Amino acid sequence: FGANTANSTGAGTKRWAMDTLSAISISQNVAQTAGGSSPSVCGGDSGGPMFVRYPDNSWHAFGIASTVSGGCGGTGTHSLMMGAVPWIEQNSGIDVTPCHDQDGTW
């Protein structure tokens, strides 16, 4: 929902982009995307979801856009979704805790 270029104010338009997951730190509760020549996080994207595609081609929420280094399209930093589950459940009243393994086994 944020800008789509460094000089843009295109806020409010829903967009998506494919990027490469470049690093994960469980201890710091963050994941980073590569950015650079590929689309990435821009101003106004904070709070938006990051999804990963599992081997069965299903998509799962994985992170929450937080910051970008190097300006629009740079390295995106995302808070890992697992750290937000208690807050989401408390504030929405909806159980979003994963109840299955990656392969869908309950």
Side-chain angles (χ1 to χ4, degrees):
F1 285 97
N4 58 352
T5 66
N7 299 320
S8 170
T9 60
T13 301
K14 187 188 294 187
R15 298 182 219 11
W16 69 274
M18 188 75 69
D19 200 354
T20 302
L21 185 61
S22 62
I24 299 173
S25 172
I26 300 296
S27 64
Q28 295 180 352
N29 194 41
V30 297
Q32 289 186 324
T33 53
S37 62
S38 60
S40 186
V41 179
C42 282
D45 288 340
S46 294
M50 175 173 111
F51 294 95
V52 295
R53 185 169 32 190
Y54 282 13
D56 68 358
N57 285 324
S58 63
W59 291 91
H60 298 262
F62 184 73
I64 304 164
S66 181
T67 63
V68 61
S69 300
C72 188
T75 300
T77 301
H78 306 260
S79 297
L80 297 179
M81 185 64 78
M82 63 186 181
V85 167
W87 183 90
I88 292 168
E89 290 181 343
Q90 180 180 9
N91 287 280
S92 71
I94 299 170
D95 180 3
V96 297
T97 305
C99 298
H100 55 82
D101 295 335
Q102 180 175 333
D103 67 0
T105 304
W106 287 91

